[in-house]
């Protein structure tokens, strides 16, 4: 790939952003979850360029982003009423719905699956760009494959400057973890990835929702997960991560007792005093799950600019948004977890 000059766009540059998509180029798109690496989702060459820029394994499918639910029937077949019920309640917002695909969706997007992930992001500029280009925008998170997802344009440029045509800077992402993925082709509906819409919220609307095994444990390489991408190591900073799970005060004390001189810490604001003089990233007050979600990826990324041998992280419990935050932390740690 030849290096290109990545243009910086603002939220007023809708026509320029749409032109990049229409020309088969790569565009950094802001969303409420994380920054995405977008391209024309109907153009296999443009979609292949996403995989090349990220170094993403070909068997990990992408999500199609649309400006509203009326576009579902362009790309999806056998759409159940529950899809519209979810869209009505949660779109635009951090929810991806897996549906049967129509033949016009390229294999490059779905990694050959007969289903496709659909999402309508809660970001006006991105919806306007998609509507102006009049094609669905395929996009994974805008990081190099395996690294923490970017929640600012600057973080995305760390990985993608010179590899994409342009990026739209709309400031930091409001949610900070990726969309929740729910598979409506399964009975009962199945949670494939926890995210900005909580499992509790999904159950309010859908009743029973099962949780895929890949959400809470490490899948070995010879297991076949529901979506191929679920088995990959993810979100990882350069230094190895150890998650300490338990009552917040006890977890912080455990880390303080085991910390070695070159180690870094991710902790709640309440406990920063325990780690004075150490490389520390705090992710918000212990009960503020929205803050944890907003800050977790920047905290992980920050250690790549510090010289640490390993990273200790305390994590919230699995309620509400905590399920998404612990899922990302556990994956960043390769499921190296100390349970107190
Ligand atoms: P990213 O947002 O970078 O995590 O990439 C998109 C995510 O959506 C990946 O984790 C995929 O595994 C998931 N995904 C996309 N399409 C499908 C699908 N048809 N079935 C299951 N998961 C999907
Ligand atoms: Mg990703």
């Amino acid at each position: 790939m030849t290096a290109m000059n990545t243009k910086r766009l603002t939220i007023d540059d809708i026509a320029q952003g749409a032109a990049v998509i229409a020309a088969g180029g790569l565009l950094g798109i802001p969303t409420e979850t994380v920054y995405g690496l977008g391209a024309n989702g109907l153009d296999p060459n443009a979609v292949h360029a996403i995989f090349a820029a990220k170094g993403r394994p070909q068997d990990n499918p992408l999500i199609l982003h649309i400006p509203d639910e009326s576009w579902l029937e362009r790309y999806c077949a056998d759409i159940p009423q529950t899809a519209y019920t979810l869209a009505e309640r949660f779109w635009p917002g951090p929810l991806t719905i897996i549906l049967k695909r129509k033949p016009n969706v390229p294999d490059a997007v779905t990694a050959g699956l007969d289903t496709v992930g659909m999402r309508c992001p809660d970001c006006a500029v991105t919806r306007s760009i998609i509507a102006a280009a009049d094609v669905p925008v395929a996009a994974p998170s805008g990081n190099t494959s395996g690294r923490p997802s970017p929640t600012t344009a600057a973080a995305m440029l760390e990985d993608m400057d010179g590899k994409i045509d342009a990026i739209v800077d709309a400031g930091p992402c409001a949610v900070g973890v990726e969309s929740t993925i729910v598979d409506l082709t399964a009975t009962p509906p199945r949670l494939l990835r926890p995210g900005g819409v909580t499992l509790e919220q999904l159950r309010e609307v859908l009743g029973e929702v099962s949780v895929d095994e890949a959400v809470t444990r490490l899948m070995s390489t010879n297991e076949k997960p529901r979506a191929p991408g679920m088995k990959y190591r993810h979100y990882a900073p350069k230094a190895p991560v150890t998650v300490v799970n338990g009552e917040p005060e006890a977890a912080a004390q455990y880390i303080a007792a085991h910390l070695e001189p070159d180690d870094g810490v991710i902790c709640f604001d309440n406990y920063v005093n325990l780690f004075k003089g150490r490389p520390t990233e705090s992710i918000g007050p212990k009960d503020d799950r929205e803050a944890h979600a907003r800050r977790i990826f920047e905290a992980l990324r920050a250690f790549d600019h510090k010289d640490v041998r390993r990273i200790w992280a305390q994590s919230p419990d699995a309620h509400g948004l905590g399920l998404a935050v612990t899922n990302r932390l556990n994956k960043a740690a390769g499921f190296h977890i100390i349970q107190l």
Side-chain angles (χ1 to χ4, degrees):
M1 214 180 340
T2 51
M4 48 182 126
N5 183 12
T6 300
K7 262 196 216 132
R8 274 63 165 169
L9 304 181
T10 74
I11 56 170
D12 296 322
D13 296 326
I14 290 163
Q16 284 190 62
V20 170
I21 297 294
L26 296 179
L27 182 67
I29 52 168
T31 80
E32 79 284 28
T33 60
V34 303
Y35 273 74
L37 177 42
N40 178 353
L42 300 181
D43 175 349
N45 289 327
V47 172
H48 283 130
I50 295 175
F51 285 84
K54 281 186 63 109
R56 183 178 176 99
Q58 296 281 346
D59 66 355
N60 195 359
L62 308 180
I63 292 166
L64 285 185
H65 294 73
I66 55 177
D68 63 68
E69 72 266 20
S70 75
W71 284 34
L72 281 177
E73 56 194 30
R74 296 190 189 185
Y75 312 111
C76 304
D78 306 335
I79 305 171
Q81 184 52 43
T82 46
Y84 292 104
T85 311
L86 288 174
E88 167 102 359
R89 168 86 195 266
F90 297 113
W91 282 3
L95 179 68
T96 296
I97 302 173
I98 306 290
L99 295 166
K100 276 251 163 355
R101 70 156 156 169
K102 279 190 170 163
N104 59 348
V105 179
D107 280 336
V109 169
T110 68
L113 298 173
D114 63 357
T115 56
V116 60
M118 304 297 298
R119 172 161 126 78
C120 174
D122 189 9
C123 179
V125 59
T126 290
R127 286 199 310 276
S128 297
I129 288 171
I130 299 167
D134 199 29
V135 291
V137 167
S141 52
N143 50 286
T144 298
S145 197
R147 294 205 68 214
S149 304
T151 55
T152 62
M156 180 158 173
L157 286 167
E158 281 177 6
D159 291 9
M160 293 298 155
D161 201 7
K163 296 183 176 175
I164 60 177
D165 295 276
I167 183 169
V168 180
D169 189 343
C173 299
V175 175
V177 291
E178 297 87 343
S179 60
T180 302
I181 303 182
V182 64
D183 184 353
L184 291 185
T185 70
T187 311
R190 185 193 297 260
L191 179 77
L192 298 186
R193 176 173 76 184
V197 168
T198 67
L199 179 59
E200 293 87 341
Q201 287 176 307
L202 284 181
R203 285 180 170 153
E204 273 172 33
V205 175
L206 295 173
E208 193 184 351
V209 176
S210 67
V211 177
D212 198 274
E213 295 186 304
V215 171
T216 48
R217 71 176 181 86
L218 182 63
M219 306 208 63
S220 62
T221 41
N222 53 15
E223 279 180 285
K224 215 173 176 275
R226 175 85 198 163
M230 297 168 86
K231 68 177 181 247
Y232 294 111
R233 183 159 183 256
H234 247 110
Y235 317 121
K238 287 167 194 149
V241 179
T242 302
V243 171
V244 180
N245 232 329
E247 192 278 315
E249 169 82 31
Q253 293 292 352
Y254 182 96
I255 294 171
H258 291 80
L259 198 61
E260 288 181 27
D262 297 328
D263 294 353
V265 181
I266 293 175
C267 68
F268 302 133
D269 295 1
N270 315 57
Y271 308 111
V272 285
N273 283 338
L274 286 175
F275 309 111
K276 274 213 181 98
R278 305 304 191 98
T280 303
E281 292 293 323
S282 59
I283 56 169
K286 67 181 170 64
D287 296 319
D288 188 347
R289 288 160 208 273
E290 291 184 4
H292 307 158
R294 266 195 313 273
R295 295 199 201 167
I296 190 61
F297 284 131
E298 282 293 297
L300 288 165
R301 274 183 176 261
F303 286 107
D304 287 348
H305 304 289
K306 301 177 181 184
D307 210 12
V308 297
R309 197 175 61 96
R310 62 178 170 173
I311 301 162
W312 296 86
Q314 63 177 153
S315 76
D317 65 34
H319 294 111
L321 265 181
L323 185 64
V325 175
T326 55
N327 168 265
R328 303 310 188 275
L329 269 172
N330 291 346
K331 288 195 166 211
F335 285 86
H336 187 230
I337 303 164
I338 292 170
Q339 186 66 52
L340 298 183

